[in-house]
Amino acid sequence: MLDAYRWMVVARVTDERCLSLQRQGRIGFYAPLSGQEAAQVGAALAMQEEDWFFPAYRELAVALVRGIPLRSIFDQLVGNSLDVSKGRQMPNHFGFRDKNIVVPSSPIGTQITHAVGAAMAARRRHDPIATIAFFGDGATSSNDFHAGLNFAGVFGTPTIFLCQNNQWAISLPREKQTRSATLAEKSNAYGFPGVVVDGNDLNAVYRAVSEARARAVRGEGPTLIEAQVYRFGPHSTSDDPHRYRSDAEVAAARERDPIQRLARGLVQAGVLEAGAEKAIWETARGDVARAFEAAEGAPAVDALSLFDDVFETRTPQLEAQRSGFAAGAGSGGGTP
Amino acid sequence: MTEMTLVQAVNRGLEEAMRQDPDVLLLGEDIGVNGGVFRATEGLFKQFGADRVIDTPLSETGIVGTAIGMALYGLKPVAEIQFLDFIYPAFDQIVSELAKFRYRSGGQYPCPVTIRAPYGGGIKGGLYHSQSTEAYFCHTAGLKVAIPSTPADAKGLLLTAIHDPDPVIFLEPKRIYRSVTGEVPDGDHRVPFGRARLVREGNDVSVFAYGAMVAPATEAAEALAAEGLSTEVIDLRSLVPLDEEAVVASVEKTGRAVVVHEAARTCGFGAELSAILAEKAFFSLRAPIARVTGYDTPFPYALENAYLPNAEKIVHAVRATMKAA
């Protein structure tokens, strides 16, 4: 449990640091997760090593729990040559094959059907695993939410749909996203259970996801979980929430901060000494600062890697464009 | 060798791939119990079972999205889209996800999905059962696009597609699913991508076509032979990767080029071929390049024969090219 607290603190500190780094122009973009730490850490802890994760682009705490070093995350945020995805994507769009974390895209909801397909594949291979898709309240309006949940229901796949309802899809509040009373109740239409859970309560999320996983691997099918949280920060560094919501609303939500809540619980349980939080925060600040500095100092991506990984083997057309680029002829390689 | 129709060759290709590799499975609408609306998957449900020939709900984004998930996990799914005209609900999955997985993950996550779709006009299918929109997919980095014109190539290119480590859009000319028959090699017959097929050798003019347009191009060449013109016909087989060498070499020999496709003209694949010839064979050209294509109209029902290229239109274009210089 103390590990859970540490991961949540590291995630919060990373948010604070990255918002500032983006304003300094040292990283290009950032999508903060503040307010969603318990939902992410609780869910990730309930899954097993061999399970497959289909995150969106806000799941930094999930990666930490899966054992991804902060340094690897910062290599991606910076987009340097050590980024395992070779600097191909905007910050936050990270994935790590060795930990079964699939690389997300920016379009909303598209990973939901992937999680269902991977679950179908796992069953075909008789692998007793579950897949989990992470998405937000906005994604419940997407095509792939409907398609994915419908396929999952029809085929009874071992899939967990974890909706972090953070109340805001950029500027659109939850009540304008859908007239459904809860997002979880949408599962009724697809013929499987949906549960609402307090996403600020690490233990509640952990229990809900553990139960859903147990059902999944017993062959009892998918579960939709709505973890109710609140997005403390902006959607991303590209928006200003003051345009669409009040400071009072945010302040009220911060009263329910999942990290403070966990700290109180840990102190009460005697796992954490009162006042010992300070050292954990200090350690996290140091770790985050060091990870960023190392990533910022790493070599830039090699320009010729532009042409790699389009296909396993470059086509003659890509080969010609690459040669033209290497020769300084711009992108029109192959012209006489 | 066995004599069969093009759609039977597709069926034989699927069966061969499924026998070779237990990771190959099929998914799509009406492909299982019903054997596919064109019967391309006939008999496979019985042979391989519901686990490997999966009847899905009616959702193209669901079909392609789940196929992607399967491929990420390590399987080799072959998704059928009932008609190419119905692929657009899956366009986001194809363009944003399928085409970009290998690249965006820095090579961590290859995504070898084959998407089969019958395409093209000439079956009285109207606006939504006739279109030929291969150019959308050629324009998206990360997708290969193959289109057979013979039964042997249907099997051979399909097996190459399924075993390719990258996503392939495999377009089947439904108009000639049953109207052409041909000898098809038994067993593991593969035709590589990026190698055009010389259908007919000639010296005066080169005609480039693919899919259902190879037949009228050949018919036109035969009619022109009666007038003493020697027409070379080249079947491109795959548009991505394209056999540029064969295209350029042919025009270097003949000095004249006619490009044929049933897709609409503007930004059709013929525009790309014309640009390549202008870049790489300019000094060999003795006449302007001609395009024989569908028109920039939606695909019409009653007037489909007016819309589609045919041998007569191709003959006309070749004659105009010959007169130009």
Side-chain angles (χ1 to χ4, degrees):
Chain A
M1 290 306 274
L2 209 48
D3 280 343
Y5 180 72
R6 284 199 191 95
W7 284 315
M8 287 164 67
V9 170
V10 169
R12 182 68 59 89
V13 169
T14 303
D15 263 18
E16 286 165 2
R17 183 83 176 120
C18 286
L19 290 174
S20 143
L21 288 169
Q22 193 274 340
R23 281 192 286 269
Q24 294 167 35
R26 294 163 85 183
I27 60 173
F29 170 90
Y30 189 75
L33 71 146
S34 292
Q36 303 180 210
E37 295 92 344
Q40 295 188 13
V41 171
L45 281 172
M47 301 300 286
Q48 300 297 314
E49 185 77 29
E50 61 276 19
D51 293 335
W52 277 54
F53 285 64
F54 292 80
Y57 45 71
R58 207 182 289 281
E59 273 63 63
L60 188 133
V62 169
L64 294 174
V65 176
R66 293 291 280 178
I68 304 302
L70 253 184
R71 174 62 201 277
S72 301
I73 291 171
F74 271 100
D75 286 334
Q76 197 281 332
L77 294 172
V78 168
N80 65 31
S81 60
L82 301 176
D83 169 19
V84 291
S85 294
K86 304 181 187 172
R88 297 262 166 71
Q89 290 217 80
M90 284 170 79
N92 299 91
H93 297 63
F94 44 72
F96 302 91
R97 172 121 207 172
D98 59 342
K99 298 289 182 187
N100 297 342
I101 301 176
V102 175
V103 182
S105 63
S106 304
I108 296 301
T110 46
Q111 75 279 19
I112 297 173
T113 44
H114 305 164
V116 177
M120 291 169 82
R123 207 165 46 184
R124 160 110 191 98
R125 291 245 175 110
H126 306 290
D127 295 340
I129 69 145
T131 65
I132 182 167
F134 292 80
F135 51 91
D137 39 309
T140 62
S141 298
S142 72
N143 299 338
D144 282 275
F145 175 83
H146 169 59
L149 271 69
N150 189 45
F151 273 55
V154 167
F155 295 109
T157 62
T159 312
I160 299 153
F161 300 102
L162 189 90
C163 177
Q164 294 170 80
N165 170 11
N166 70 13
Q167 314 300 333
W168 291 93
I170 304 188
S171 68
L172 199 77
R174 155 66 186 86
E175 65 271 17
K176 289 188 179 172
Q177 196 66 247
T178 170
R179 287 291 289 272
S180 299
T182 69
L183 301 177
E185 75 185 29
K186 286 173 180 276
S187 71
N188 294 335
Y190 302 108
F192 56 83
V195 294
V196 177
V197 63
D198 179 353
N200 293 318
D201 181 347
L202 178 84
N203 292 305
V205 176
Y206 177 81
R207 277 196 305 275
V209 176
S210 297
E211 279 167 31
R213 187 187 183 277
R215 287 190 66 244
V217 295
R218 282 199 305 265
E220 292 167 22
T223 308
L224 171 61
I225 298 170
E226 175 186 356
Q228 293 184 337
V229 293
Y230 191 90
R231 193 190 79 210
F232 293 167
H235 160 71
S236 77
T237 45
S238 306
D239 98 289
D240 172 12
H242 292 104
R243 296 172 69 92
Y244 50 79
R245 67 186 191 187
S246 71
D247 290 346
E249 180 185 309
V250 180
R254 282 188 181 274
E255 291 296 311
R256 301 186 296 274
D257 188 317
I259 298 183
Q260 288 170 19
R261 178 169 174 166
L262 179 62
R264 282 195 301 272
L266 292 176
V267 171
Q268 274 168 17
V271 178
L272 188 69
E273 266 181 59
E277 302 101 302
K278 197 163 177 275
I280 292 174
W281 285 84
E282 280 314 307
T283 304
R285 288 197 183 95
D287 290 348
V288 165
R290 274 190 300 279
F292 169 69
E293 275 156 30
E296 192 179 43
V301 171
D302 172 24
L304 280 178
S305 73
L306 171 63
F307 302 95
D308 297 340
D309 306 314
V310 181
F311 300 111
E312 185 183 79
T313 310
R314 284 189 291 275
T315 60
Q317 285 71 24
L318 281 166
E319 206 60 71
Q321 289 170 25
R322 184 177 184 273
S323 305
F325 177 82
S331 63
T335 46
Chain B
M1 289 284 210
T2 310
E3 172 103 3
M4 63 182 79
T5 64
L6 196 146
V7 71
Q8 284 169 333
V10 169
N11 183 276
R12 293 302 81 198
L14 293 171
E15 197 238 359
E16 177 68 24
M18 293 180 81
R19 276 200 290 117
Q20 287 169 357
D21 187 345
D23 283 341
V24 175
L25 55 76
L26 316 183
L27 69 165
E29 295 159 9
D30 309 300
I31 66 163
V33 177
N34 191 46
V37 297
F38 288 102
R39 303 285 172 265
T41 52
E42 182 126 62
L44 300 178
F45 181 82
K46 215 169 178 181
Q47 190 177 345
F48 296 104
D51 281 359
R52 293 183 71 192
V53 185
I54 303 169
D55 275 322
T56 68
L58 202 164
S59 167
E60 288 75 18
T61 190
I63 293 167
V64 176
T66 52
I68 289 170
M70 291 174 183
L72 296 171
Y73 199 82
L75 302 187
K76 292 179 181 171
V78 182
E80 176 176 306
I81 299 296
Q82 203 160 74
F83 286 81
L84 180 60
D85 311 71
F86 303 151
I87 205 167
Y88 307 107
F91 205 58
D92 192 20
Q93 283 292 346
I94 294 170
V95 172
S96 304
E97 306 296 326
L98 182 61
K100 293 176 174 55
F101 248 112
R102 182 188 287 280
Y103 196 75
R104 82 182 191 216
S105 66
Q108 296 182 87
Y109 283 103
C111 204
V113 175
T114 300
I115 299 178
R116 297 178 39 243
Y119 86 96
I123 62 150
K124 283 280 175 195
L127 289 157
Y128 304 111
H129 298 79
S130 306
Q131 296 168 88
S132 184
T133 55
E134 60 277 7
Y136 293 149
F137 304 101
C138 297
H139 191 61
T140 298
L143 300 174
K144 295 181 181 176
V145 179
I147 310 180
S149 71
T150 68
D153 276 5
K155 181 179 176 186
L157 290 169
L158 180 57
L159 276 164
T160 298
I162 295 170
H163 292 296
D164 196 277
D166 287 296
V168 180
I169 307 293
F170 188 81
L171 301 180
E172 299 168 7
K174 59 181 177 286
R175 177 192 195 173
I176 55 170
Y177 258 159
R178 288 183 176 77
S179 65
V180 299
T181 57
E183 293 283 313
V184 176
D186 300 322
D188 188 15
H189 166 61
R190 298 194 201 182
V191 173
F193 292 164
R195 301 252 188 89
R197 182 172 68 96
L198 181 61
V199 181
R200 185 187 168 102
E201 210 168 343
N203 295 311
D204 297 328
V205 58
S206 303
V207 177
F208 300 103
Y210 49 88
M213 290 296 103
V214 174
T218 309
E219 195 188 323
E222 281 159 12
L224 289 160
E227 299 174 17
L229 274 175
S230 167
T231 305
E232 183 146 296
V233 178
I234 289 183
D235 173 4
L236 297 175
R237 280 178 160 161
S238 67
L239 306 185
V240 181
L242 176 70
D243 190 349
E244 272 189 33
E245 267 179 48
V247 170
V248 171
S250 178
V251 172
E252 282 173 350
K253 178 175 71 172
T254 63
R256 293 177 173 85
V258 174
V259 177
V260 185
H261 56 64
E262 54 186 292
R265 175 164 306 198
T266 300
C267 295
F269 197 74
E272 182 62 32
L273 281 176
S274 302
I276 288 168
L277 290 171
E279 284 176 346
K280 298 188 178 169
F282 184 79
F283 298 107
S284 301
L285 282 168
R286 290 194 276 161
I289 299 162
R291 283 185 286 169
V292 182
T293 68
Y295 300 108
D296 288 337
T297 67
F299 193 100
Y301 176 69
L303 294 174
E304 79 171 345
N305 290 329
Y307 176 91
L308 285 167
N310 56 27
E312 195 186 335
K313 289 181 185 178
I314 298 167
V315 164
H316 184 80
V318 168
R319 284 197 193 121
T321 303
M322 295 308 298
K323 273 188 214 138

